[in-house]
Amino acid sequence: MAITLVNPSGLPEIPVYRQVSIATGSKLVFIAGQVAWDADGVTVGEGDLTAQVERAYLNVGTALAEAGGSFDDVAKLILYVVDWTPDKMPLLLEGIDRASAKLGITPVAPATLIGVAALDVPDHLVEVEATAVID
């Protein structure tokens, strides 16, 4: 495996991700921000943050598989959430949990959550971008 995830002493331990990702692989994969589109470009879960997070993560998984990788190879995730407020965290985590169950993974790569005013399509509530390193 090309990625080692750690929580260094001296930094807080966050249950849903690790603070540091150490990459040793040879192939860098940059996945464009994935939204809640199905294969036909139809928005899944209109108005439902949990459903959209789930679909965006599943789309990241599809993109990783095409590159010959999986969530085990993810070095960094960036999540953009429309009109973010902390009370939305349970919805976000539920969507991640649902996608994780379907993918059979525990995505704990370092992650950054950024609240934004809007995304490319008004119906989109979340976008998930990934960087992976594959042996």
Side-chain angles (χ1 to χ4, degrees):
M1 189 160 52
I3 302 293
T4 302
L5 303 174
V6 297
N7 275 321
S9 61
L11 293 179
E13 190 166 321
I14 309 296
V16 296
Y17 67 87
R18 303 299 176 265
Q19 294 280 11
V20 176
S21 174
I22 302 166
T24 58
S26 58
K27 179 167 65 169
L28 286 174
V29 179
F30 300 93
I31 309 240
Q34 297 299 304
V35 294
W37 273 333
D38 66 13
D40 296 320
V42 175
T43 299
V44 173
E46 189 172 327
D48 182 344
L49 179 61
T50 297
Q52 289 200 17
V53 169
E54 177 184 4
R55 185 59 196 215
Y57 267 76
L58 293 173
N59 289 348
V60 169
T62 298
L64 287 164
E66 179 67 24
S70 70
F71 267 91
D72 288 338
D73 302 304
V74 173
K76 174 77 173 166
L77 290 167
I78 301 175
L79 292 81
Y80 303 92
V81 182
V82 173
D83 296 326
W84 175 255
T85 55
D87 63 308
K88 293 181 181 178
M89 184 61 82
L91 300 172
L92 181 84
L93 294 176
E94 182 182 343
I96 294 169
D97 286 345
R98 287 179 6 190
S100 297
K102 288 182 178 176
L103 294 166
I105 54 115
T106 304
V108 293
T112 299
L113 189 153
I114 301 170
V116 296
L119 292 170
D120 63 330
V121 174
D123 292 337
H124 292 164
L125 303 175
V126 65
E127 186 166 328
V128 181
E129 180 181 326
T131 302
V133 181
I134 301 171
D135 281 327

